[in-house]
């Protein structure tokens, strides 16, 4: 209920937790809009948070925690919040077109339809392990220390 009621959201999420001043500049409508747009899918916000956490660590400051709200199936309107997101392996052409539109991917309907229903044309396919794209990504990951790069705490923390 709080998601649809800006005043209730303000009270329960912010005022009751001593954070009302953080959202006092927002109208109820703006607060609902910000709440419904999950920041965990905003690459610029995530990058800025990671950069700040890195600066904190380098300066010997306090540990950082990044909380990010995400939605399962974000940008896939037919999947949002449904468990099928992790079970469905292919998407129908109309779902691919919606995905394309939401994420502003410059593809035509014809490009998506090529190859048959649910095939995604040549643009939404796994290019294969021997493709130049995948080889590049693997090389970059290795350059960064592998799949799980070691993380060591900074001196003095």
């Amino acid at each position: 209920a709080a998601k649809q009621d800006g005043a209730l959201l303000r009270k329960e999420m912010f005022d009751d937790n001593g954070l009302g001043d953080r959202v006092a500049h927002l109208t109820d409508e703006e607060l609902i809009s910000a709440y419904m747009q999950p920041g965990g899918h905003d690459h610029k916000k995530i990058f800025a948070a990671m950069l700040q956490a890195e600066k904190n660590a380098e300066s010997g400051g306090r540990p950082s925690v990044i909380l990010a709200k995400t939605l399962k199936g974000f940008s896939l309107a037919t999947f949002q919040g449904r468990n099928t997101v992790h079970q469905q392996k292919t998407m129908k052409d109309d779902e691919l077109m919606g995905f394309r539109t939401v994420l502003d991917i410059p593809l035509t309907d014809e490009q998506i339809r090529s190859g048959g229903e649910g095939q995604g044309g040549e643009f939404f396919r796994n290019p294969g392990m021997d493709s130049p794209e995948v080889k590049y990504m693997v090389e970059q990951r290795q350059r960064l220390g592998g799949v799980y790069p070691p993380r060591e705490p900074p001196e003095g923390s």
Side-chain angles (χ1 to χ4, degrees):
K3 290 193 299 188
Q4 304 304 319
D5 182 345
L8 182 60
L9 178 64
R10 181 181 309 278
K11 178 187 179 315
E12 290 183 357
M13 294 288 289
F14 297 95
D15 293 341
D16 289 355
N17 294 297
L19 300 170
D21 60 320
R22 304 283 176 100
V23 295
H25 64 287
L26 298 173
T27 67
D28 288 348
E29 292 77 24
E30 291 170 330
L31 186 58
I32 287 287
S33 176
Y35 181 78
M36 295 306 289
Q37 178 65 31
H41 298 286
D42 185 325
H43 299 124
K44 290 180 182 177
K45 287 181 182 178
I46 295 294
F47 180 79
M50 298 287 283
L51 191 61
Q52 185 61 53
E54 185 177 2
K55 287 179 184 175
N56 291 351
E58 288 173 354
S59 68
R62 302 182 322 208
S64 299
V65 174
I66 299 171
L67 302 175
K69 177 185 176 189
T70 61
L71 293 176
K72 187 187 321 182
F74 181 74
S75 77
L76 304 173
T78 59
F79 291 161
Q80 280 187 0
R82 293 177 36 209
N83 287 331
T84 58
V85 172
H86 296 288
Q87 297 164 351
Q88 187 167 341
K89 302 300 179 211
T90 60
M91 297 169 61
K92 296 179 180 150
D93 286 350
D94 61 332
E95 293 169 333
L96 287 169
M97 288 182 225
F99 180 72
R100 175 254 349 244
T101 302
V102 168
L103 296 179
D104 199 24
I105 298 172
L107 295 175
T108 66
D109 291 355
E110 292 74 32
Q111 288 174 309
I112 292 172
R113 286 191 188 106
S114 68
E117 176 67 34
Q119 297 302 306
E122 62 184 274
F123 300 96
F124 286 109
R125 291 193 179 146
N126 181 338
M129 291 302 294
D130 291 332
S131 71
E133 298 87 355
V134 172
K135 285 181 179 178
Y136 172 79
M137 288 190 295
V138 169
E139 288 170 8
Q140 297 308 305
R141 176 49 55 200
Q142 292 306 316
R143 192 175 66 101
L144 292 170
V147 179
Y148 298 105
R151 290 175 170 78
E152 298 176 19
E155 295 287 326
S157 43

